[in-house]
Amino acid sequence: MPTHLVNVIKQMYDGDEYVLIDGAKTTITGNSTAPLRGVKQGCPLSPILFSLFINDVDDEFGTGFMGAVTGTEGLRVTHMLYADDLTLTANDPVQLQNMLRRLEAYAARKGLTVNVQKSYIVIFNAYRNSAVPVFRLHIRSLKREILLPTWECYLIST
């Protein structure tokens, strides 16, 4: 990203202070704190910056992966983008883990970080007693949710 654009964004946030509130907890004695990174919650810059930084993500998942089947014969989906989120889809757990490895390498090349705490796997599986695979991103196991429709699909949302 061009330096002058980064500087404009930094200037927008220069001098900002926040009081962090989490339920009944707040920052020490309610004092404000300066943000160290990121954009404000709900800031329209978030999806714009996301789009600028990952505009070539189609190159990563567009070929070499099967993706998940759809309702249209012959059409498979490997990934979906919306706002500032990326979702990977696959019908095969090995394929999804390979996609996660590719995502790690892509993020490292771009200087990006995938928030593992906000990432999770949704497993659609018709078989209640089948083995549930463990997926890893940056060596950490991802949280899993299991739903039971009529076909098997693995999906990660980051």
Side-chain angles (χ1 to χ4, degrees):
M1 182 173 285
T3 305
H4 67 279
L5 184 54
V6 172
N7 289 336
V8 167
I9 295 169
K10 284 181 179 179
Q11 288 173 2
M12 287 175 54
Y13 283 86
D14 190 36
D16 277 2
E17 291 185 351
Y18 306 96
V19 174
L20 303 176
I21 301 172
D22 181 11
K25 298 182 287 184
T26 63
T27 50
I28 300 172
T29 66
N31 291 332
S32 60
T33 184
L36 300 176
R37 61 181 177 188
V39 296
K40 295 176 187 176
Q41 179 71 27
C43 180
L45 267 181
S46 182
I48 293 169
L49 291 173
F50 180 77
S51 296
L52 288 172
F53 272 95
I54 66 151
N55 66 348
D56 60 347
V57 76
D58 290 343
D59 299 340
E60 296 297 316
F61 303 110
T63 58
F65 294 106
M66 295 297 293
V69 296
T70 66
T72 303
E73 189 174 331
L75 178 64
R76 289 178 167 264
V77 175
T78 57
H79 65 288
M80 297 176 279
L81 299 169
Y82 45 94
D84 58 358
D85 293 311
L86 166 67
T87 299
L88 304 175
T89 63
N91 288 101
D92 177 4
V94 173
Q95 282 274 313
L96 184 60
Q97 186 59 62
N98 288 338
M99 292 170 85
L100 289 169
R101 284 190 202 100
R102 178 81 59 93
L103 177 62
E104 285 178 328
Y106 174 80
R109 279 194 318 274
K110 297 284 229 167
L112 302 173
T113 302
V114 178
N115 189 338
V116 177
Q117 293 175 331
K118 289 185 175 181
S119 301
Y120 58 92
I121 300 287
V122 177
I123 301 170
F124 300 89
N125 191 327
Y127 308 105
R128 290 183 188 270
N129 298 325
S130 63
V132 177
V134 175
F135 295 94
R136 299 189 183 284
L137 184 63
H138 304 299
I139 307 175
R140 294 182 58 192
S141 297
L142 295 170
K143 296 176 275 189
R144 299 173 292 174
E145 296 290 331
I146 301 171
L147 303 176
L148 302 168
T150 58
W151 46 273
E152 191 170 337
C153 177
Y154 301 88
L155 175 137
I156 176 172
S157 185
T158 62

